[in-house]
Amino acid sequence: MSSILADVFCILDIETGCLEEKNKREHFTQLVGACLVLVPDTVLKERLDPETLESLGLIKQAQQFNQKIVKIKTKLFYKQQKFNLLREENEGYAKLITELGQDLSGNITSRLVLENIKSLIGCFNLDPNRVLDIILEVYECRSDQDEFFVPLIKSYMCEAQTLCHILGFKFKFYQEPNGETPSSLYHVAAALLQHNLIELGDLYVHLLPMDPSILEEHKREITEAKQIARKLTMVVVPSEKTEEKDKEKEKEEEKNEKPPDNQKLGLLEALLKIGDWQHAQSIMDQMPSFYAASHKSIAVALCQLLHITIEPLYRRAGVPKGAKGALNRPLKSKQAPKPAEAFEDLRKEVFTMLCYLGPHLSHDPVLFAKIVRLGKGFMKEYQNDKQEDKDRMDTLLSCFLSITDQVLLPSLTLMDCNACMSEELWGLFKMFPYQHRYRLYGQWKNETYNSHPLLVKVKAQTVDRAKYIMKRLTKENVKPSGRQIGKLSHSNPTILFDYMLSQIQWYDNLITPVVDSLKYLTSLNYDVLAYCIIEALANPEKEKMKHDDTTISAWLQSLASLCGSVFRKYPIELAGLLQYVTNQLKAGKSFDLLILKEVVQKMAGIEIADEMTQEQLEAMTGGEQLKAEGGYFGQIRNTKKSSQRLKDALLDHELALPLCLLMAQQRNGVVFLEGGEKHLKLVGKLYDQCHDTLVQFGGFLASNLSTEDYIKRVPSVDILCNQFHTPHDAAFFLSRPMYAHQILSKYDELKKTEKGNRQQQKVHKYIAACDLVMAPVHDSVVSLHPPKVWDDISPQFYATFWSLTMYDLAVPHNAYDREVNKLKVQMKAIDENPEMPPNKKKKEKERCTALQDKLQEEEKKQLEHVQRVLQRLKLEKDNWLLAKSTKNETITKFLQLCIFPRCIFSAIDAVYCARFVELVHQQRTPNFCTLLCYDRVFSDIIYTVASCTENEARRYGRFLCCMLDTVTRWHSDRAIYEKECGNYPGFLTILRATGFDGGNKADQLDYENFRHVVHKWHYKLTKASVHCLETGEYTHIRNILIVLTKILLCYPKVLNLGQALERRVHKICLEEKEKRPDLYALAMGYSGQLKSRKPYMVPENEFHHKELPVRNTGPTTVQNGPGSAGKPASTTSTGKPEEGASEENEKSKEKSQSAVKAASKTNNTTPKVTTSNGNGATNSTKLIKEKEDKDKSGKEKNKEKKEKTPAATPEAKAPGKEKQKEERPGKEEKTRETKEKTPKSEKEKFKKDEKASKDDKAKASGGESKSSAEKEREKEPSKERDVAKEAKTKESSKGEKAAVAGSLKSPVPRSESSESEREQKRRKLDTHSSPSHSSTVKDNLNELKDSATKHYTNHSTATLSKSKEREVDKKDMEKSRDRSREREKKERKRDHSNSDREVAQELKRRKDENGTSSSKHSKSESPSNSPQPNEKEKSKSSKSSSKEKSDSAKPEKGSSGGKKESRHDKEKAEKKEKRESTGAKEDKKTP
């Protein structure tokens, strides 16, 4: 209180002293005088002014008081008191030194010595400060005697400031330019600091260098390190190199001049040595990070302190079994850190010390190993922890991860290629999940190297060394270069691999030598390599597409290839890479599937190659051993271990099914999500890559996963499709192996339960196993499609189709034999090789023998399996196709839901689809029309081809090739056709027939007509190909060229079709050479192969039976579309009435139109195609005129021949007339179809056309059996028929004229073309008299230009009298006779014997078939909108057919009067026929 009052008075004294008013000053004096009782005099004398004190009476005179103060201050602060300076004696100091330097091992204590020192000071008048200095000097000399000197100093001088000043002066003495502070002085200072005799702050100011200079030095080091790094990456000119060397020498000389000693670091080292961590930490905090530890002595001292601290815990949890190791004794000092007994204790000080140490742990590899082993010990406890102290353990785990990041990895960088430490560290790292590891590697690579100047230098040196090695790396020096790479990678793998990968991205030819050179890496390095690859793949700065945006970048392809090779050859963990691909797929990015594709290919030996040879494809349909030996381009051997690693990685991380599902979903994502911005070509490639990888990956899972694993992971088909939205083809692809596994396991169970070895019993058991396994599948597939689908095909058929493979359908005996023979050759070569050592010979021969046995065993096993499957299918087939609507609809569903999705799935599936169609045909499956199926496949491929990707086009081409191969085999030989098709329900021409009567030959398509159909298919393919080639669209052209290349063995077979294709392809070559080089390359490749196939092509008349036209038939009689190849009773023409859709109507229109249009092109020797009457399309008007001149002279001869031979009429017309008869049902069916599908106005036109054409045909056939065409003709009066004939004649000539500018052109003989022009002009005069048909022809003109060449000529004039009609009939007979003679002459020249045999066979067959042609026609004429023919119509048709049979027999028996008899029969039956036809007409109109 008194002090506060004194302070107040002091302030008031100053304030009032400045005032001029004296009264206030007096008031202040009185106040203070009154308070003298409260405030002591001494206090006031200290605070108040001397004048005020004088006025208060506390002092006598102010002046004297001031003088006295000055004297006291001078004495205190400026006068040195050396009271004994002259009186102290040297002997005292000598005795003092002796006292301090005596042997201290006895009972001498610091207290006893202190008493003696005091005595000496008193006796010899010694200066106490100098005594203290001598004590410190002796302590410095005897620094090991801490226990004696520290208590002595503490007892002698307790003032810290004085002690600190004396030490400061000692340090100052050594701060000369060349001075070196002794370590003993550091030790003394450290000991005094540890025992708190002095304060660090007081001593720190006495030490040099100053903190700012330390900071500057640190910055200078970083700058220098960066300059060094920059120089190493720069390209230096030789002249500049010498200058730089001089500068470096100067710098080195400057460095050699020793700078003043860093006393702060010396003190720090001493503190660490005695274990004073707190003061040491304080000093390190004053400096830049890692500055102190960068000095080796500091780092070593700190490491030693750490050794001592972790010793107990290391002995308990870190020492490996069998290891001993030197013991580290604990420090005696109580102030030293406490040794760690448990992992929890490490958090107190050990982790902190390690963080201060940082990368400089590299100075002590032993401590490095100890820390790593402690980490391993902790991870074992962590993994075994029962979640009791989860938080505590998680905290410790994060501490260990931090230490790994900040200390262990940077320290490894500074170690000089220490492979042992790398392996030791991997022992810890492999216990971390890959996510933690990769995070650590990322920090190591991208951040750690910039944290310290030394690391910056190391990084630059590593890159420089890596460049040196990579420049010299070749296939020849892989071993030495590999060793250098190994040495460099032990310490700095991230930097080395980063550079190597950058080089590989530029130069893909480095991949092989680099992969081979990596064999000297440690396990940690391999893991780092995996991380570096993933980081390179995920680099956001790199574009994964080339600049043209149409192809995947080369760097990505190179990295993917490297991935496959590296992961196969070395034991690297795959989880990270697989997860990366999965994450990319989740994000909707499919580029990186390339990596998965390469990894599976290299590690599992499963290739995806659409460019397989036929032999490889054949091998792929066998067992696993055959696939491995003959199914792939590269014989990838020894994949057992690598495929096991891949499988384990997928199963351990649950990635197998997710990858499959993501790929299946991504296929559509490529098009609809990714595809918007990307080039169409790139979208196609990505789609193919996604699909191929799915097929490859699914194949890997199927062949490597055990049955239990597979079934456990793959859900059922309905779940895959409905829940996971997997496309159906992919869902069945994934499920297929599961069904096969389940059936086999169930079959084995049944075999064990019932013992019986008979083959029949085995088959029954197999079928029972199939039923048990597939029954749930049949139920589950019902939900995949609308209920309407199952009206035509059964779920059982659908599931059977999708669940079988080529392995189930056929045994590739040739492939097995081929591989066995290869092995035999190998064994022979081994025997004959004299250089091979005997042991190796023996091993190789054993290997070959074992493989041979395996293959033979596998073949036997597959043969038994295929037999069982075929038996099963034989039993199932009756329930396959329900055909509740129509056969046409059934085929549509079959193609849409089964064939087309699967034939483009893989190359083997393409073969499977073709084989399955053939199998269904061979099994005589009810309601399956083989003809219709093949026709739908070949008829219009434009849309299918246009919608394919590049690889899908290859597979589709392969499918077409297999289908064509079957058709070509049937087409090649009548015997094969009769055996494999002749009596099969698939070749019935009556599509509505519910049953199949094998004996009814009339309902079957005969061999010659089948050849016409095949020609039609070939023409259809040509038309589609030409269309695609002429579109100019990239996708159309590329795909059709791919497809054409694939089907080259089977198509084109006809010379003119091949020439047409050749011209188009040549045009593409010219147009695309500069614009689109890839199309040019494809076209050139196909063009060359096409030319090489030319010798195998045949003229059209050799490909199928051709005849010159008998009679002019108007455009409406041409039924079979463009290039109809004379298809009289083809599947499409008979099947079309069932379709009942406007689309089919348009198609039929197009076919009839384009057939007429092509007529004008015949003379140009373009693709030779027959008319629907089966006649040759190559006839010319010149021939017709010559025959007209011969008509009269040949009449009498014809009559004589008729009388001699009863069967002359049909024989004369064979094979042309015979074909005509067969074709009529097809034509009428086609006409009926167009009638039903067009509006009323068009229906009337078609009716007239139909009647007119039937009239002409009936006349031409004379006394032959009456077909349904004759029935229709008799419905109209003769006048109407004649008008129709005239109209058709004119229209045909008009069609010929209009179609001259067709697309399929080639040079022609001048005589033929001039004759045909004259003929056309002659006909053109009468064109306006045919109003009933002009509109039809007009509509057709637009599409007529693309079709095949046909000529329709008319040589009869319309008359109304019957006598003229008879004359015309006779003329026709004679003409046909002449034509048949000419044709026979030509055939004799080509092959005399074959011709005779063929004519005889034709005669015999036609006799059998004549009786059934009319009934066949009446059956096929049922209206399209009624599913079954009416009972009325059936009865009528049966009556008419029996009538016709009797009628048709008559002209054969008659002689010269045969013509009259047939005419009489016609008149007799006319009334009855009218009644029947009108009845059928009414039935037709009613719906």
Side-chain angles (χ1 to χ4, degrees), residues 921 966-973 977 980-981 987 1007 1010:
H921 162 73
T966 306
V967 169
T968 308
R969 191 176 77 251
W970 291 339
H971 173 274
S972 63
D973 189 2
Y977 179 79
E980 297 187 13
C981 309
F987 279 74
Y1007 175 64
F1010 174 70

Side-chain angles (χ1 to χ4, degrees), residues 690-721:
C690 190
H691 178 83
D692 290 349
T693 313
L694 171 64
V695 174
Q696 179 194 33
F697 190 69
F700 165 74
L701 293 180
S703 59
N704 285 273
L705 262 63
S706 64
T707 313
E708 296 75 24
D709 281 335
Y710 202 92
I711 293 169
K712 188 168 68 178
R713 281 168 174 79
V714 179
S716 62
V717 170
D718 51 337
I719 293 173
L720 280 172
C721 295

Side-chain angles (χ1 to χ4, degrees), residues 4-35:
I4 293 169
L5 276 173
D7 288 337
V8 173
F9 291 152
C10 180
I11 293 165
L12 288 173
D13 185 19
I14 296 166
E15 291 290 335
T16 52
C18 299
L19 295 174
E20 294 178 358
E21 299 172 12
K22 291 183 179 180
N23 58 344
K24 286 187 178 181
R25 179 73 179 168
E26 288 172 1
H27 288 316
F28 167 68
T29 310
Q30 289 169 6
L31 174 65
V32 176
C35 294

Side-chain angles (χ1 to χ4, degrees), residues 194 271-281 302 304-312 329-341 345-346 348-350 352-353:
Q194 188 181 25
L271 286 167
L272 291 170
K273 282 180 177 176
I274 64 169
D276 189 358
W277 171 242
Q278 279 72 26
H279 286 107
Q281 189 178 359
L302 187 50
Q304 189 57 37
L305 182 59
L306 279 163
H307 272 296
I308 294 163
T309 311
I310 65 169
E311 184 69 19
R329 292 176 184 173
L331 293 168
K332 296 174 184 177
S333 171
K334 293 177 183 177
Q335 286 83 0
K338 289 181 180 178
E341 301 287 343
D345 298 337
L346 295 175
K348 293 175 185 173
E349 285 167 335
V350 172
T352 314
M353 290 183 199

Side-chain angles (χ1 to χ4, degrees), residues 147-422:
E147 293 173 0
F148 171 76
F149 281 99
V150 170
L152 177 65
I153 294 169
K154 198 172 186 179
S155 306
Y156 180 80
M157 175 68 72
C158 57
E159 277 190 31
Q161 284 288 342
T162 308
L163 191 57
C164 198
H165 283 313
I166 292 172
L167 275 174
F169 282 120
K170 283 184 176 292
F171 279 110
K172 188 103 175 165
F173 175 76
Y174 294 109
Q175 288 172 2
E176 296 299 323
N178 292 322
E180 186 175 346
T181 311
S183 59
S184 54
L185 180 58
Y186 292 129
H187 177 78
V188 169
L192 295 176
L193 280 169
Q194 188 181 25
H195 291 89
N196 297 317
L197 292 176
I198 56 174
E199 293 294 326
L200 178 61
D202 294 338
L203 180 62
Y204 196 75
V205 294
H206 293 283
L207 306 176
L208 284 183
M210 304 298 285
D211 285 348
S213 62
I214 290 175
L215 193 59
E216 282 175 20
E217 184 188 347
H218 181 66
K219 286 179 181 175
R220 189 168 62 251
E221 282 180 4
I222 290 174
T223 310
E224 285 176 6
K226 287 179 179 175
Q227 282 177 351
I228 291 167
R230 194 165 57 251
K231 282 176 189 173
L232 288 170
T233 54
M234 282 168 56
V235 178
V236 184
V237 181
S239 60
E240 292 177 4
K241 279 184 181 178
T242 53
E243 292 174 10
E244 285 182 2
K245 281 180 182 178
D246 295 337
K247 286 179 184 177
E248 283 174 10
K249 281 181 182 178
E250 287 173 12
K251 283 182 182 177
E252 283 175 9
E253 286 171 6
E254 286 174 12
K255 283 180 184 176
N256 290 336
E257 292 176 8
K258 211 171 184 183
D261 209 12
N262 193 324
Q263 294 176 332
K264 291 177 179 176
L265 292 178
L267 178 60
L268 175 60
E269 183 185 351
L271 286 167
L272 291 170
K273 282 180 177 176
I274 64 169
D276 189 358
W277 171 242
Q278 279 72 26
H279 286 107
Q281 189 178 359
S282 301
I283 294 175
M284 291 171 92
D285 287 338
Q286 303 286 333
M287 300 176 180
S289 56
F290 304 126
Y291 173 79
S294 64
H295 295 76
K296 186 175 179 180
S297 56
I298 307 291
V300 170
L302 187 50
C303 289
Q304 189 57 37
L305 182 59
L306 279 163
H307 272 296
I308 294 163
T309 311
I310 65 169
E311 184 69 19
L313 181 61
Y314 176 69
R315 291 292 158 194
R316 179 178 71 79
V319 179
K321 287 181 181 178
K324 292 179 181 178
L327 289 171
N328 285 290
R329 292 176 184 173
L331 293 168
K332 296 174 184 177
S333 171
K334 293 177 183 177
Q335 286 83 0
K338 289 181 180 178
E341 301 287 343
F343 286 111
E344 189 65 32
D345 298 337
L346 295 175
R347 289 179 59 196
K348 293 175 185 173
E349 285 167 335
V350 172
F351 287 151
T352 314
M353 290 183 199
L354 285 168
C355 289
Y356 278 101
L357 188 57
H360 304 288
L361 179 59
S362 58
H363 291 298
D364 194 343
V366 176
L367 179 63
F368 183 97
K370 284 184 178 179
I371 300 296
V372 170
R373 286 171 183 176
L374 283 176
K376 283 193 273 188
F378 167 74
M379 286 306 295
K380 283 175 187 171
E381 282 190 19
Y382 181 80
Q383 288 167 356
N384 298 330
D385 188 33
K386 296 177 181 176
Q387 305 299 320
E388 293 171 359
D389 301 325
K390 193 172 186 308
D391 293 338
R392 182 177 64 82
M393 296 298 276
D394 284 342
T395 308
L396 276 170
L397 176 62
S398 64
C399 289
F400 267 107
L401 289 171
S402 299
I403 291 303
T404 308
D405 175 30
Q406 296 173 29
V407 183
L408 297 178
L409 289 174
S411 300
L412 187 66
T413 296
L414 294 178
M415 286 184 186
D416 192 16
C417 69
N418 196 328
C420 301
M421 290 303 107
S422 180

